[in-house]
């Protein structure tokens, strides 16, 4: 049980980490939101065979996210959306 839990937590962190590497804001927020929603939907699963299938699917999805994030960064235009502005406005 503890091993499965640690695998799931590691997979969750990896999905969030690599989901945040997308260059495009919309893809980035979608990947993170989708990862969180998928884990929340299955958080009470107790059947070991279903858990194993979910972990396998999660690993496959992680490989897709890694690949797509790398491709996304190859074709970035450099322009950021207003919502992505990381510089805080100065207070007067």
């Amino acid at each position: 049980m503890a091993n499965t839990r640690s695998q799931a937590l590691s997979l969750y962190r990896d999905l969030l980490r690599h989901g945040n590497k997308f260059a495009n804001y919309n893809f980035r927020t979608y990947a993170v939101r989708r990862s969180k929603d998928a884990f929340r939907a299955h958080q009470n699963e107790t059947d070991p065979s279903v858990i194993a299938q979910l972990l396998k699917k999660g690993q496959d999805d992680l490989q897709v996210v890694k690949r797509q994030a790398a491709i996304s960064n190859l074709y970035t235009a450099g322009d950021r959306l207003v919502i992505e502005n990381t510089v805080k406005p100065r207070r007067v």
Side-chain angles (χ1 to χ4, degrees), residues 80 83-88:
R80 293 214 176 260
I83 195 168
E84 294 180 273
N85 191 3
T86 58
V87 178
K88 293 183 180 180

Side-chain angles (χ1 to χ4, degrees), residues 52-67:
Q53 289 174 347
L54 290 169
L55 287 173
K56 173 70 172 120
K57 183 181 179 335
Q59 288 294 335
D60 295 342
D61 291 346
L62 176 62
Q63 295 306 315
V64 171
V65 169
K66 283 181 180 180
R67 185 174 52 246

Side-chain angles (χ1 to χ4, degrees), residues 23-65:
N24 184 295
Y25 172 81
N26 292 324
F27 291 135
R28 192 169 51 243
T29 55
Y30 175 77
V32 170
R33 185 182 68 238
R34 185 67 187 97
S35 298
K36 288 180 179 181
D37 290 347
F39 273 83
R40 273 192 208 113
H42 301 291
Q43 71 182 359
N44 295 324
E45 187 62 53
T46 57
D47 185 15
S49 63
V50 174
I51 292 172
Q53 289 174 347
L54 290 169
L55 287 173
K56 173 70 172 120
K57 183 181 179 335
Q59 288 294 335
D60 295 342
D61 291 346
L62 176 62
Q63 295 306 315
V64 171
V65 169

Side-chain angles (χ1 to χ4, degrees), residues 23-24 27 67-79:
N24 184 295
F27 291 135
R67 185 174 52 246
Q68 290 303 120
I71 291 170
S72 170
N73 287 318
L74 291 175
Y75 298 105
T76 181
D79 295 334

